[in-house]
Amino acid sequence: SRWAGGIGTWTLNAGAAQLALMDLLERGAPWLIILGTVAVVQARFALYSASLAPIYKDFPRRWRIVLAYLLTDQAAALEKHFTPLLPDPVRRRWFFLGGASLFTAMAAGGAMLGIVIGPVIPASWQIGFIVPLMFLAIILRTVSDRPSLMAALIAAGVAVAARDLPYGSNVIVATVAGIGVTRLLAPASWYRGAPTGEEDEPREGAP
């Protein structure tokens, strides 16, 4: 319903999870499947939080709470990129607040617009392809090294092979398989020197 979509937009602030949740609700999926799917979709935010924790540690608690609510894929990338350029914590948190608020407002505004005009868009336009396209964009941005590439390829293969599982649960199975198999089989050398987003410390005598 429009009310559920509108309330979910502002309370969840998680477009990908909201799309998955609404799709599964419409298909009558059990709550266990719904919660599991949403948890898998949102698991990347645990990694974002761990990565941003050293950056947020200088912020007051109220700022950390607000920025955590506003955190999106785009905001996480922006904050990691601009942290070395903003050594002053006060200036940094205001910059983060502005950027994250803009991303959230654009996402929420687009969602509300879709709720209003969605019912009048002809079904022949078949705009449903936008959902997998969005997930593909998120995946491609995170595949930056050999372990992530291996996990993505395994997950893709399992998702296709298990496509007949009910309520889209093949996505959960594929995600667990991609991560688990990669951790078991990928050589340790693949993880050495992996990009972390942290600035290298200057060596003594370096210009």
Side-chain angles (χ1 to χ4, degrees), residues 43-65:
R44 68 190 188 281
F45 281 93
L47 302 178
Y48 292 162
S49 298
S51 178
L52 293 171
I55 299 172
Y56 281 19
K57 66 181 177 60
D58 296 323
F59 299 167
R61 178 177 295 178
R62 63 183 181 277
W63 278 86
R64 295 199 299 267
I65 293 173

Side-chain angles (χ1 to χ4, degrees), residues 26-117:
E26 187 177 350
R27 293 159 62 182
W31 275 102
L32 185 62
I33 296 293
I34 294 174
L35 294 176
T37 301
V38 170
V40 168
V41 171
Q42 292 300 99
R44 68 190 188 281
F45 281 93
L47 302 178
Y48 292 162
S49 298
S51 178
L52 293 171
I55 299 172
Y56 281 19
K57 66 181 177 60
D58 296 323
F59 299 167
R61 178 177 295 178
R62 63 183 181 277
W63 278 86
R64 295 199 299 267
I65 293 173
V66 171
L67 290 172
Y69 168 74
L70 295 173
L71 186 63
T72 60
D73 297 285
Q74 297 82 359
L78 177 139
E79 293 171 12
K80 288 293 290 183
H81 177 76
F82 281 97
T83 291
L85 305 177
L86 298 166
D88 178 16
V90 175
R91 186 182 176 193
R92 188 193 313 156
R93 71 194 188 207
W94 280 106
F95 181 84
F96 289 175
L97 179 64
S101 298
L102 178 62
F103 289 132
T104 297
M106 291 175 64
M112 300 305 291
L113 180 64
I115 290 172
V116 173
I117 69 173

Side-chain angles (χ1 to χ4, degrees), residues 12 43 95 100 103 106 128 130 133-135 140-141 143 148 158 161 205:
L12 294 177
F95 181 84
F103 289 132
M106 291 175 64
I130 293 174
L133 188 64
M134 179 199 65
F135 281 107
L140 289 177
R141 190 182 60 80
V143 177
S148 59
V158 173

